[in-house]
Amino acid sequence: MEGQTTGLLTTSGSGQPGEAAKIVIRGYGSINASQDPLYVVDGIPFSGDMSSINPADIESMTVLKDASAGALYGARGANGVIMITTKQGKEGKTKVSWRSTAGWSSRSLKAYDMVDQKEFVQLTYEGLRNGYIFDNGYNWETAGRQASADLGGVLGGEQYNPFKNYTWGTIIDPATGRVQDDATSAWNESWMDAIQRDNAFRHEHQLSVNGGTEKTKYMFSLGYLNEDGILINTGFQRYNARANINTEVNKWMKTGLNVSLSNSTQNFSDYEGSSNSNVWYSAQFMAPIYPVYIKGEDGKDVLDADGNRQLDYGDGSVQRPRYSDFNPVGGLVDDKADIKTDVAGLRTFLAFGSDSEDAGWAKGIKLTLNFGLDYRNKSQKSYMNMHHGNQAAAGGLLMKYNRRTQSYTFNQLLTWGRSFNFHNIDLLVGHEFYAYKYEFLSAGKTNLVDGILELRPGTNLYNADSYSEDYRVESFFGRFNYNFNEKYYFSASIR
């Protein structure tokens, strides 16, 4: 779309699987107001998420902007309109098709070139030594001895010394002021590697049935998508179904029905921005000497009762100097965040009229009744564990959110189109009624019961809130199009 329409900008959002693309038409018109265009699916405004629509069900997409958008959809089309037409049945024998795709995704930008363990220790030592020289007036030798003595306290004690053949006090060779050449590391764990999947897997499967007779055409489709995120424990899973049936009852009457269903689950990281809890941010600032998993005095993993490795939160007998009581991997494993979404849509129409000469004076007059209904229910869970992190003192925090959206549109369109020699006329008058209702409910509790991600066992109320939005829009509109010999055009519209 971006390459086919001028003034259209698309971005992929956060990169989280299941995140809908962001589309802006004709630039940003406001700092605070929404920039989202109006989506119209099969002639009816759509209030759901674009990620709930299977791309394989889309036949075409058209962008309306400027006067054309405002004329047809009023203020709702101020940010532009994207018209989406879903696939219809085609006359002919029944065709059954199956399509499966698979792929892998990885981080596109190379990771920063980071210092290794020896370089980090060396730089920390030099920083301490230079501080004693320039800030305290120590001579070179005295500053070096003091820096070596203080190194362990700055880096977190021997618990975080990966070089088990030396202590922090002896890791620096006093003759050279460098890390000992034969210092051997007992571990070397990359925090960035620990939070990422290498080649995250994505697979999608689609079944479609298409066919019909001269008067009745049908299309049915089923789809399944499963996509792993680059971050561990993130991903998106969607089931969707669609049925589209159109029939010509007689020469002057047509009707159709389009029904769609979608169910999706999105697992994601609940932290973003530059906060420490944002794992993309914090993992790259974690010093390379600090292990992802708890180590013993010999530098080997300390296993739990079940033989599993234990994440090091830096809150043991000796606390990690930075990011104490925090582990980027733990933010993805021990904390939970997901959104479950159910979407249902219905489109139906009844059309009267004909372009046949048999219609006599009524040739070209058509009355179309359109009705559309959209329903979306979104349940979100956000859990911060009770053992580590900023909610450990409160016994954990569980927040649950429910957002329900219901909307329906009913319009009646009367059109007349005729051609007289070089004159071509197209008239449209219509009425539309749109109803929208949004309901929000949230609640949270602390002091939870371990292993039960429900609010009832929690003893302390953290938050409770609800509100609703309910509005109606009724419109009358008209449009007149005229052209002479397909060369000179005139158009006027009102809403």
Side-chain angles (χ1 to χ4, degrees), residues 176-401:
T176 62
R178 309 289 297 177
V179 174
Q180 301 283 0
D181 291 336
D182 60 345
T184 303
S185 178
W187 68 79
N188 188 14
E189 297 172 350
S190 168
W191 289 88
M192 289 298 292
D193 290 345
I195 66 170
Q196 296 181 76
R197 285 192 183 100
D198 189 19
N199 295 325
F201 185 55
R202 180 189 191 276
H203 58 103
E204 186 174 8
H205 312 279
Q206 299 163 4
L207 172 68
S208 66
V209 179
N210 192 306
T213 63
E214 181 180 354
K215 292 190 174 183
T216 301
K217 303 175 182 63
Y218 55 85
M219 190 281 293
F220 304 100
S221 70
L222 295 173
Y224 173 71
L225 168 66
N226 193 323
E227 182 177 5
D228 292 333
I230 296 177
L231 282 179
I232 61 173
N233 284 10
T234 64
F236 179 70
Q237 185 174 244
R238 182 186 67 208
Y239 300 87
N240 61 271
R242 182 177 295 273
N244 200 331
I245 303 173
N246 295 310
T247 184
E248 182 179 339
V249 179
N250 52 47
K251 292 183 178 180
W252 52 270
M253 181 178 177
K254 297 179 181 179
T255 186
L257 178 67
N258 188 338
V259 178
S260 62
L261 300 171
S262 174
N263 170 267
S264 63
T265 300
Q266 183 184 41
N267 299 101
F268 63 99
S269 172
D270 205 15
Y271 309 102
E272 58 185 15
S274 59
S275 66
N276 292 348
S277 298
N278 179 350
V279 296
W280 288 115
Y281 178 86
S282 57
Q284 63 184 340
F285 286 105
M286 194 70 75
I289 64 170
Y290 300 120
V292 177
Y293 300 94
I294 297 176
K295 307 299 180 185
E297 294 183 358
D298 58 356
K300 296 182 179 180
D301 291 326
V302 176
L303 307 180
D304 62 15
D306 297 323
N308 299 316
R309 305 168 81 183
Q310 304 177 78
L311 291 172
D312 184 0
Y313 276 86
D315 59 349
S317 57
V318 178
Q319 292 192 349
R320 188 193 302 132
R322 188 174 184 185
Y323 294 134
S324 177
D325 199 22
F326 175 71
N327 187 305
V329 179
L332 298 169
V333 175
D334 294 333
D335 295 343
K336 310 291 182 184
D338 63 57
I339 297 177
K340 296 181 179 179
T341 307
D342 299 311
V343 178
L346 180 145
R347 304 286 188 271
T348 184
F349 76 91
L350 190 61
F352 303 92
S354 173
D355 290 324
S356 172
E357 294 292 343
D358 296 338
W361 63 269
K363 177 185 176 182
I365 299 177
K366 295 179 182 179
L367 173 65
T368 305
L369 309 179
N370 296 295
F371 178 79
L373 173 68
D374 287 311
Y375 172 85
R376 177 179 60 175
N377 188 73
K378 179 180 291 187
S379 298
Q380 180 177 344
K381 174 182 65 186
S382 178
Y383 168 71
M384 298 181 185
N385 76 89
M386 63 184 63
H387 303 293
H388 305 280
N390 55 14
Q391 293 298 327
L397 170 64
L398 176 64
M399 290 292 302
K400 290 202 171 185
Y401 310 85

Side-chain angles (χ1 to χ4, degrees), residues 90-108:
K90 297 180 179 180
E91 181 181 348
K93 293 183 179 180
T94 300
K95 295 181 180 179
V96 180
S97 62
W98 174 274
R99 182 173 182 265
S100 293
T101 59
W104 292 264
S105 59
S106 300
R107 178 175 173 173
S108 59

Side-chain angles (χ1 to χ4, degrees), residues 47-224:
S47 58
D49 290 326
M50 290 304 298
S51 60
S52 66
I53 299 179
N54 184 358
D57 290 341
I58 297 176
E59 180 72 29
S60 65
M61 299 179 71
T62 304
V63 177
L64 301 181
K65 51 188 178 180
D66 302 326
S68 59
L72 292 175
Y73 297 99
R76 288 182 295 167
N79 293 328
V81 180
I82 296 180
M83 309 282 290
I84 298 175
T85 302
T86 59
K87 291 182 177 179
Q88 310 288 319
K90 297 180 179 180
E91 181 181 348
K93 293 183 179 180
T94 300
K95 295 181 180 179
V96 180
S97 62
W98 174 274
R99 182 173 182 265
S100 293
T101 59
W104 292 264
S105 59
S106 300
R107 178 175 173 173
S108 59
L109 299 177
K110 294 179 62 177
Y112 294 115
D113 187 13
M114 313 291 282
V115 298
D116 60 24
Q117 291 179 333
K118 286 188 175 182
E119 290 171 335
F120 178 77
V121 173
Q122 181 68 42
L123 292 171
T124 303
Y125 164 77
E126 291 178 0
L128 290 172
R129 183 193 62 194
N130 293 341
Y132 289 128
I133 293 174
F134 297 109
D135 295 339
N136 299 322
Y138 289 15
N139 61 45
W140 186 271
E141 293 182 358
T142 303
R145 288 194 300 269
Q146 190 63 46
S148 293
D150 293 346
L151 193 59
V154 172
L155 296 179
E158 295 301 328
Q159 176 182 345
Y160 291 116
N161 179 6
F163 307 107
K164 296 306 178 183
N165 54 336
Y166 287 98
T167 65
W168 283 131
T170 61
I171 189 66
I172 300 297
D173 186 347
T176 62
R178 309 289 297 177
V179 174
Q180 301 283 0
D181 291 336
D182 60 345
T184 303
S185 178
W187 68 79
N188 188 14
E189 297 172 350
S190 168
W191 289 88
M192 289 298 292
D193 290 345
I195 66 170
Q196 296 181 76
R197 285 192 183 100
D198 189 19
N199 295 325
F201 185 55
R202 180 189 191 276
H203 58 103
E204 186 174 8
H205 312 279
Q206 299 163 4
L207 172 68
S208 66
V209 179
N210 192 306
T213 63
E214 181 180 354
K215 292 190 174 183
T216 301
K217 303 175 182 63
Y218 55 85
M219 190 281 293
F220 304 100
S221 70
L222 295 173
Y224 173 71

